Amino acid sequence: TTDIAAAADVAMPSFLQYCMSLQQQNFVGPEGPDEYDPYTYVGAVTLLASSRVNETLHGTLGLPRASEVLEQAIGLPPNVNRRELDFSLIVYMTAIAMFAACWFVSHRIALWTWPSFRNINPAHKQWYVIANLWKASLLGLMTFSVPYWVYTYRHYIEGNWASHANDGMLTKLTVMLYTVSDVVALLVVPKLPLSTKIHHWATFFFTLLVISYELQEADVLHMIIVYGTFSTVAFKTNYFLAFRVMYANAGWMRVLAGASFVTYALCCVGNWGSHSLWLGLGVVRGTWSVFGVLYFLSLATLVQDDIKLLQYLWARAKGVPITPRQPKKQE
Protein backbone atom coordinates (compact mmCIF):
# COMPACT_ATOMS: atom_id res chain seq x y z
CA THR A 1 0.00 0.00 0.00
CA THR A 2 2.85 2.35 0.83
CA ASP A 3 4.54 1.66 -2.51
CA ILE A 4 1.33 2.34 -4.46
CA ALA A 5 0.71 5.56 -2.53
CA ALA A 6 4.26 6.68 -3.25
CA ALA A 7 3.80 5.84 -6.93
CA ALA A 8 0.64 7.92 -7.05
CA ASP A 9 2.45 10.84 -5.41
CA VAL A 10 5.08 10.67 -8.15
CA ALA A 11 2.60 10.25 -11.00
CA MET A 12 0.07 12.93 -10.04
CA PRO A 13 2.34 16.00 -10.44
CA SER A 14 3.34 14.79 -13.92
CA PHE A 15 -0.32 14.30 -14.76
CA LEU A 16 -1.26 17.80 -13.60
CA GLN A 17 1.64 19.30 -15.52
CA TYR A 18 0.47 17.56 -18.65
CA CYS A 19 -3.09 18.81 -18.17
CA MET A 20 -1.72 22.34 -18.02
CA SER A 21 0.35 21.79 -21.14
CA LEU A 22 -2.75 20.54 -22.98
CA GLN A 23 -4.50 23.80 -22.24
CA GLN A 24 -1.64 25.68 -23.89
CA GLN A 25 -1.77 23.58 -27.06
CA ASN A 26 -4.08 24.19 -29.97
CA PHE A 27 -6.21 21.05 -30.14
CA VAL A 28 -8.03 21.20 -33.44
CA GLY A 29 -11.66 20.18 -33.13
CA PRO A 30 -14.04 19.01 -35.85
CA GLU A 31 -15.34 22.56 -36.43
CA GLY A 32 -11.97 24.19 -37.12
CA PRO A 33 -8.79 25.40 -35.39
CA ASP A 34 -10.66 27.58 -32.90
CA GLU A 35 -12.79 24.73 -31.59
CA TYR A 36 -11.68 22.19 -28.98
CA ASP A 37 -12.63 18.57 -29.43
CA PRO A 38 -13.70 17.43 -25.94
CA TYR A 39 -13.40 13.71 -26.76
CA THR A 40 -9.85 14.17 -28.05
CA TYR A 41 -8.93 16.25 -25.00
CA VAL A 42 -10.32 13.70 -22.53
CA GLY A 43 -8.66 10.88 -24.43
CA ALA A 44 -5.27 12.58 -24.35
CA VAL A 45 -5.50 13.28 -20.62
CA THR A 46 -6.63 9.72 -19.84
CA LEU A 47 -3.93 8.15 -22.00
CA LEU A 48 -1.07 10.10 -20.49
CA ALA A 49 -2.32 9.77 -16.91
CA SER A 50 -2.56 6.00 -17.24
CA SER A 51 0.83 5.72 -18.91
CA ARG A 52 2.44 7.80 -16.15
CA VAL A 53 0.95 5.59 -13.46
CA ASN A 54 1.90 2.45 -15.41
CA GLU A 55 5.52 3.51 -15.77
CA THR A 56 5.76 4.58 -12.13
CA LEU A 57 4.25 1.35 -10.80
CA HIS A 58 6.58 -0.60 -13.09
CA GLY A 59 9.62 1.18 -11.68
CA THR A 60 8.40 1.02 -8.07
CA LEU A 61 7.04 -2.53 -7.85
CA GLY A 62 9.22 -4.11 -10.53
CA LEU A 63 6.24 -5.67 -12.34
CA PRO A 64 6.53 -6.39 -16.10
CA ARG A 65 4.66 -4.07 -18.40
CA ALA A 66 1.52 -5.49 -19.99
CA SER A 67 3.02 -5.17 -23.48
CA GLU A 68 6.02 -7.24 -22.43
CA VAL A 69 3.76 -10.10 -21.33
CA LEU A 70 1.83 -9.95 -24.62
CA GLU A 71 5.04 -9.87 -26.63
CA GLN A 72 6.27 -13.05 -24.95
CA ALA A 73 2.92 -14.74 -25.58
CA ILE A 74 2.15 -13.93 -29.23
CA GLY A 75 4.76 -11.40 -30.42
CA LEU A 76 4.27 -7.77 -31.42
CA PRO A 77 4.70 -5.74 -34.62
CA PRO A 78 8.03 -3.84 -34.73
CA ASN A 79 6.45 -0.36 -34.83
CA VAL A 80 3.94 -0.86 -32.02
CA ASN A 81 3.27 2.07 -29.71
CA ARG A 82 4.13 0.37 -26.43
CA ARG A 83 2.83 3.15 -24.22
CA GLU A 84 -0.55 3.03 -25.90
CA LEU A 85 -0.56 -0.78 -25.89
CA ASP A 86 0.25 -0.89 -22.17
CA PHE A 87 -2.64 1.45 -21.50
CA SER A 88 -5.01 -0.62 -23.66
CA LEU A 89 -4.10 -3.90 -22.01
CA ILE A 90 -4.37 -2.48 -18.50
CA VAL A 91 -7.81 -1.05 -19.28
CA TYR A 92 -8.89 -4.33 -20.92
CA MET A 93 -7.80 -6.50 -17.98
CA THR A 94 -9.36 -4.08 -15.50
CA ALA A 95 -12.64 -4.06 -17.44
CA ILE A 96 -12.70 -7.87 -17.52
CA ALA A 97 -12.19 -8.08 -13.76
CA MET A 98 -14.80 -5.39 -13.06
CA PHE A 99 -17.38 -6.95 -15.36
CA ALA A 100 -16.85 -10.39 -13.83
CA ALA A 101 -17.44 -8.92 -10.37
CA CYS A 102 -20.57 -7.12 -11.60
CA TRP A 103 -21.89 -10.34 -13.10
CA PHE A 104 -21.55 -12.17 -9.78
CA VAL A 105 -23.31 -9.33 -7.95
CA SER A 106 -26.06 -9.23 -10.59
CA HIS A 107 -26.52 -12.99 -10.34
CA ARG A 108 -26.97 -12.78 -6.57
CA ILE A 109 -29.42 -9.86 -6.80
CA ALA A 110 -31.44 -11.65 -9.52
CA LEU A 111 -31.70 -14.76 -7.32
CA TRP A 112 -33.11 -12.65 -4.49
CA THR A 113 -35.53 -10.48 -6.47
CA TRP A 114 -36.49 -12.26 -9.73
CA PRO A 115 -38.62 -15.42 -9.29
CA SER A 116 -38.50 -16.34 -12.98
CA PHE A 117 -34.72 -16.15 -12.90
CA ARG A 118 -34.54 -18.19 -9.70
CA ASN A 119 -36.66 -20.95 -11.28
CA ILE A 120 -34.44 -21.42 -14.34
CA ASN A 121 -33.69 -25.10 -14.81
CA PRO A 122 -30.95 -26.20 -15.27
CA ALA A 123 -29.41 -23.59 -12.97
CA HIS A 124 -26.27 -23.04 -15.06
CA LYS A 125 -28.42 -21.27 -17.67
CA GLN A 126 -28.80 -18.42 -15.18
CA TRP A 127 -25.28 -17.37 -16.17
CA TYR A 128 -26.29 -17.48 -19.84
CA VAL A 129 -29.08 -15.02 -19.02
CA ILE A 130 -26.74 -12.74 -17.07
CA ALA A 131 -24.20 -12.77 -19.91
CA ASN A 132 -26.74 -11.80 -22.57
CA LEU A 133 -28.44 -9.13 -20.46
CA TRP A 134 -25.11 -7.46 -19.71
CA LYS A 135 -23.94 -7.66 -23.29
CA ALA A 136 -27.24 -6.32 -24.66
CA SER A 137 -27.23 -3.43 -22.19
CA LEU A 138 -23.62 -2.52 -22.94
CA LEU A 139 -24.10 -2.65 -26.73
CA GLY A 140 -27.32 -0.67 -26.38
CA LEU A 141 -25.50 2.09 -24.50
CA MET A 142 -22.82 2.14 -27.18
CA THR A 143 -25.43 2.31 -29.95
CA PHE A 144 -27.03 5.40 -28.41
CA SER A 145 -23.68 7.00 -27.54
CA VAL A 146 -22.81 10.22 -29.37
CA PRO A 147 -19.02 9.66 -29.27
CA TYR A 148 -19.52 6.18 -30.78
CA TRP A 149 -21.14 7.62 -33.90
CA VAL A 150 -18.78 10.61 -34.02
CA TYR A 151 -15.80 8.30 -34.45
CA THR A 152 -17.68 5.95 -36.76
CA TYR A 153 -18.48 8.92 -39.00
CA ARG A 154 -14.89 10.17 -38.95
CA HIS A 155 -13.44 6.79 -39.83
CA TYR A 156 -15.84 5.43 -42.43
CA ILE A 157 -17.47 8.51 -43.94
CA GLU A 158 -14.59 10.98 -43.81
CA GLY A 159 -12.00 8.21 -44.15
CA ASN A 160 -9.84 9.74 -41.42
CA TRP A 161 -8.20 7.27 -39.06
CA ALA A 162 -5.51 9.51 -37.62
CA SER A 163 -6.56 13.09 -38.26
CA HIS A 164 -7.48 13.79 -34.63
CA ALA A 165 -5.18 13.09 -31.71
CA ASN A 166 -6.09 9.88 -29.85
CA ASP A 167 -9.01 9.01 -32.15
CA GLY A 168 -7.44 5.62 -32.67
CA MET A 169 -7.04 5.10 -28.94
CA LEU A 170 -10.68 5.81 -28.21
CA THR A 171 -11.75 3.56 -31.08
CA LYS A 172 -9.68 0.76 -29.55
CA LEU A 173 -11.38 1.36 -26.21
CA THR A 174 -14.73 0.92 -27.95
CA VAL A 175 -13.56 -2.40 -29.44
CA MET A 176 -12.49 -3.56 -25.99
CA LEU A 177 -15.88 -2.65 -24.52
CA TYR A 178 -17.58 -4.61 -27.29
CA THR A 179 -15.62 -7.82 -26.58
CA VAL A 180 -15.23 -7.65 -22.81
CA SER A 181 -18.54 -9.49 -22.30
CA ASP A 182 -17.38 -12.31 -24.57
CA VAL A 183 -14.18 -12.78 -22.56
CA VAL A 184 -16.03 -12.75 -19.23
CA ALA A 185 -18.50 -15.29 -20.63
CA LEU A 186 -15.61 -17.63 -21.42
CA LEU A 187 -14.46 -17.34 -17.81
CA VAL A 188 -17.82 -17.42 -16.02
CA VAL A 189 -20.57 -19.09 -18.07
CA PRO A 190 -20.53 -22.89 -17.73
CA LYS A 191 -21.27 -25.33 -20.57
CA LEU A 192 -21.02 -22.82 -23.42
CA PRO A 193 -21.59 -24.46 -26.83
CA LEU A 194 -18.43 -25.08 -28.83
CA SER A 195 -19.50 -22.68 -31.59
CA THR A 196 -20.02 -19.93 -29.00
CA LYS A 197 -16.59 -20.56 -27.50
CA ILE A 198 -15.00 -20.35 -30.96
CA HIS A 199 -16.82 -17.08 -31.60
CA HIS A 200 -15.72 -15.58 -28.28
CA TRP A 201 -12.11 -16.67 -28.71
CA ALA A 202 -12.13 -15.19 -32.22
CA THR A 203 -13.40 -11.82 -30.97
CA PHE A 204 -10.76 -11.86 -28.22
CA PHE A 205 -8.00 -12.56 -30.76
CA PHE A 206 -9.28 -9.84 -33.10
CA THR A 207 -9.30 -7.40 -30.17
CA LEU A 208 -5.63 -8.13 -29.47
CA LEU A 209 -4.89 -7.43 -33.14
CA VAL A 210 -6.76 -4.13 -33.10
CA ILE A 211 -5.06 -2.80 -29.97
CA SER A 212 -1.59 -3.95 -31.11
CA TYR A 213 -1.50 -2.10 -34.45
CA GLU A 214 -1.94 1.45 -35.65
CA LEU A 215 -5.42 1.59 -37.17
CA GLN A 216 -4.40 3.63 -40.20
CA GLU A 217 -1.88 0.98 -41.28
CA ALA A 218 -4.08 -2.06 -42.00
CA ASP A 219 -7.45 -2.19 -43.72
CA VAL A 220 -8.08 -5.62 -42.16
CA LEU A 221 -8.40 -3.85 -38.82
CA HIS A 222 -10.92 -1.47 -40.36
CA MET A 223 -13.06 -4.41 -41.43
CA ILE A 224 -12.87 -6.01 -37.99
CA ILE A 225 -14.26 -2.77 -36.57
CA VAL A 226 -16.93 -2.70 -39.31
CA TYR A 227 -18.07 -6.15 -38.22
CA GLY A 228 -18.23 -5.00 -34.61
CA THR A 229 -20.13 -1.84 -35.54
CA PHE A 230 -22.92 -3.72 -37.30
CA SER A 231 -23.06 -6.31 -34.52
CA THR A 232 -23.39 -3.57 -31.91
CA VAL A 233 -26.54 -2.18 -33.51
CA ALA A 234 -28.18 -5.64 -33.25
CA PHE A 235 -28.06 -5.51 -29.45
CA LYS A 236 -31.74 -6.34 -28.96
CA THR A 237 -31.01 -9.88 -30.19
CA ASN A 238 -29.09 -10.51 -26.96
CA TYR A 239 -32.13 -9.39 -24.97
CA PHE A 240 -34.18 -11.97 -26.85
CA LEU A 241 -31.62 -14.71 -26.18
CA ALA A 242 -31.72 -13.89 -22.47
CA PHE A 243 -35.50 -13.66 -22.07
CA ARG A 244 -36.24 -16.80 -24.09
CA VAL A 245 -34.83 -18.89 -21.23
CA MET A 246 -37.54 -17.63 -18.86
CA TYR A 247 -40.40 -16.53 -21.13
CA ALA A 248 -40.00 -18.89 -24.09
CA ASN A 249 -43.60 -18.92 -25.29
CA ALA A 250 -44.86 -15.58 -24.00
CA GLY A 251 -46.77 -13.57 -26.58
CA TRP A 252 -44.54 -10.53 -26.37
CA MET A 253 -41.54 -12.70 -27.21
CA ARG A 254 -42.87 -13.01 -30.77
CA VAL A 255 -42.70 -9.22 -31.11
CA LEU A 256 -39.16 -9.14 -29.72
CA ALA A 257 -38.17 -12.00 -32.02
CA GLY A 258 -39.57 -10.19 -35.05
CA ALA A 259 -37.81 -6.92 -34.17
CA SER A 260 -34.58 -8.79 -33.50
CA PHE A 261 -34.86 -10.65 -36.81
CA VAL A 262 -35.30 -7.45 -38.83
CA THR A 263 -32.42 -5.67 -37.11
CA TYR A 264 -30.13 -8.68 -37.22
CA ALA A 265 -30.90 -9.41 -40.88
CA LEU A 266 -30.11 -5.81 -41.89
CA CYS A 267 -26.86 -5.90 -39.91
CA CYS A 268 -25.89 -9.22 -41.51
CA VAL A 269 -26.55 -7.83 -44.99
CA GLY A 270 -24.41 -4.80 -44.14
CA ASN A 271 -21.64 -6.96 -42.74
CA TRP A 272 -21.58 -9.57 -45.51
CA GLY A 273 -21.97 -6.95 -48.24
CA SER A 274 -19.23 -4.64 -46.96
CA HIS A 275 -16.79 -7.52 -46.48
CA SER A 276 -17.52 -8.99 -49.92
CA LEU A 277 -17.08 -5.56 -51.51
CA TRP A 278 -13.83 -5.04 -49.61
CA LEU A 279 -12.39 -8.37 -50.75
CA GLY A 280 -13.60 -7.87 -54.34
CA LEU A 281 -12.05 -4.41 -54.61
CA GLY A 282 -8.84 -5.76 -53.11
CA VAL A 283 -8.64 -8.45 -55.80
CA VAL A 284 -9.45 -6.01 -58.63
CA ARG A 285 -6.97 -3.39 -57.41
CA GLY A 286 -4.33 -5.93 -56.46
CA THR A 287 -4.25 -4.70 -52.86
CA TRP A 288 -5.38 -7.93 -51.20
CA SER A 289 -3.12 -9.72 -48.74
CA VAL A 290 -2.84 -13.26 -47.46
CA PHE A 291 -3.79 -12.06 -43.98
CA GLY A 292 -6.87 -10.35 -45.40
CA VAL A 293 -7.97 -13.53 -47.18
CA LEU A 294 -7.41 -15.57 -43.99
CA TYR A 295 -9.51 -13.09 -42.03
CA PHE A 296 -12.27 -13.27 -44.64
CA LEU A 297 -12.26 -17.07 -44.49
CA SER A 298 -12.28 -17.03 -40.69
CA LEU A 299 -15.63 -15.23 -40.85
CA ALA A 300 -17.18 -18.37 -42.36
CA THR A 301 -17.86 -19.84 -38.90
CA LEU A 302 -19.39 -16.56 -37.74
CA VAL A 303 -21.60 -16.38 -40.84
CA GLN A 304 -22.78 -19.92 -40.22
CA ASP A 305 -23.86 -18.95 -36.70
CA ASP A 306 -25.54 -15.82 -38.09
CA ILE A 307 -27.63 -17.90 -40.49
CA LYS A 308 -28.68 -20.33 -37.75
CA LEU A 309 -29.69 -17.47 -35.48
CA LEU A 310 -31.67 -15.77 -38.27
CA GLN A 311 -33.55 -19.01 -38.93
CA TYR A 312 -34.32 -19.36 -35.23
CA LEU A 313 -35.51 -15.76 -34.88
CA TRP A 314 -37.72 -16.13 -37.93
CA ALA A 315 -39.29 -19.31 -36.55
CA ARG A 316 -39.98 -17.65 -33.21
CA ALA A 317 -41.42 -14.56 -34.90
CA LYS A 318 -43.87 -16.83 -36.72
CA GLY A 319 -44.92 -18.35 -33.41
CA VAL A 320 -43.22 -21.73 -33.53
CA PRO A 321 -43.32 -22.87 -29.88
CA ILE A 322 -40.23 -23.84 -27.92
CA THR A 323 -40.12 -27.12 -26.05
CA PRO A 324 -37.78 -26.66 -23.09
CA ARG A 325 -35.04 -29.25 -22.90
CA GLN A 326 -35.17 -31.58 -19.93
CA PRO A 327 -32.01 -31.75 -17.85
CA LYS A 328 -30.04 -34.95 -18.20
CA LYS A 329 -30.34 -37.40 -15.38
CA GLN A 330 -27.32 -37.84 -13.21
CA GLU A 331 -25.77 -41.27 -13.46
Side-chain angles (χ1 to χ4, degrees):
T1 304
T2 304
D3 290 340
I4 295 177
D9 290 339
V10 174
M12 191 54 64
S14 299
F15 168 54
L16 295 176
Q17 290 175 6
Y18 183 70
C19 289
M20 295 176 64
S21 68
L22 281 179
Q23 294 177 344
Q24 298 172 0
Q25 297 178 22
N26 183 24
F27 266 81
V28 179
E31 303 301 327
D34 296 329
E35 296 291 335
Y36 284 88
D37 180 355
Y39 304 122
T40 295
Y41 182 84
V42 171
V45 172
T46 305
L47 174 58
L48 185 90
S50 300
S51 65
R52 296 286 192 187
V53 173
N54 180 47
E55 290 298 322
T56 306
L57 292 178
H58 170 71
T60 303
L61 303 181
L63 298 175
R65 297 181 180 87
S67 59
E68 295 173 353
V69 177
L70 184 61
E71 183 176 27
Q72 294 176 1
I74 63 174
L76 290 175
N79 60 338
V80 65
N81 185 332
R82 290 182 178 271
R83 187 187 68 173
E84 184 175 289
L85 179 57
D86 280 330
F87 168 69
S88 300
L89 291 172
I90 290 173
V91 171
Y92 200 31
M93 291 184 291
T94 303
I96 290 171
M98 292 178 62
F99 267 69
C102 290
W103 285 23
F104 279 99
V105 173
S106 300
H107 180 265
R108 182 58 57 183
I109 293 175
L111 285 176
W112 290 340
T113 62
W114 197 351
S116 297
F117 181 87
R118 188 166 52 247
N119 295 330
I120 292 176
N121 187 25
H124 68 81
K125 285 189 173 292
Q126 293 172 348
W127 289 106
Y128 176 85
V129 173
I130 292 293
N132 276 287
L133 288 178
W134 267 91
K135 184 170 184 176
S137 300
L138 179 61
L139 298 186
L141 289 174
M142 291 169 60
T143 299
F144 293 103
S145 167
V146 174
Y148 180 79
W149 292 109
V150 167
Y151 289 108
T152 299
Y153 177 84
R154 287 180 182 173
H155 295 334
Y156 294 106
I157 305 301
E158 294 182 349
N160 296 324
W161 287 87
S163 60
H164 297 76
N166 297 297
D167 270 17
M169 185 67 255
L170 294 178
T171 299
K172 292 178 180 182
L173 290 177
T174 303
V175 173
M176 288 186 279
L177 281 177
Y178 172 80
T179 62
V180 67
S181 295
D182 292 346
V183 178
V184 176
L186 286 170
L187 299 174
V188 173
V189 181
K191 299 183 180 181
L192 280 175
L194 179 60
S195 61
T196 302
K197 290 182 179 180
I198 293 175
H199 174 272
H200 290 351
W201 277 113
T203 58
F204 175 65
F205 176 72
F206 289 151
T207 300
L208 293 182
L209 287 179
V210 169
I211 66 178
S212 298
Y213 285 82
E214 296 295 332
L215 295 182
Q216 65 269 26
E217 294 180 357
D219 58 348
V220 175
L221 302 182
H222 302 172
M223 299 312 299
I224 293 175
I225 299 174
V226 166
Y227 197 96
T229 300
F230 278 111
S231 299
T232 298
V233 178
F235 67 91
K236 63 173 66 68
T237 303
N238 291 97
Y239 278 126
F240 172 83
L241 294 176
F243 291 135
R244 68 170 179 166
V245 177
M246 298 172 288
Y247 312 107
N249 296 309
W252 58 270
M253 285 293 289
R254 290 186 60 183
V255 178
L256 182 57
S260 299
F261 173 82
V262 172
T263 305
Y264 202 77
L266 291 174
C267 291
C268 285
V269 170
N271 252 330
W272 302 342
S274 59
H275 278 74
S276 299
L277 179 63
W278 165 70
L279 182 64
L281 290 176
V283 172
V284 172
R285 297 171 179 174
T287 58
W288 64 276
S289 64
V290 175
F291 182 65
V293 174
L294 291 176
Y295 163 69
F296 188 83
L297 294 177
S298 70
L299 295 179
T301 56
L302 303 183
V303 171
Q304 184 179 10
D305 284 344
D306 289 340
I307 294 175
K308 290 181 179 179
L309 181 55
L310 284 172
Q311 292 172 338
Y312 179 78
L313 290 172
W314 177 245
R316 291 296 295 121
K318 292 192 300 182
V320 176
I322 297 177
T323 302
R325 294 181 179 179
Q326 298 298 324
K328 295 181 179 179
K329 295 181 179 180
Q330 298 294 328
E331 298 294 339

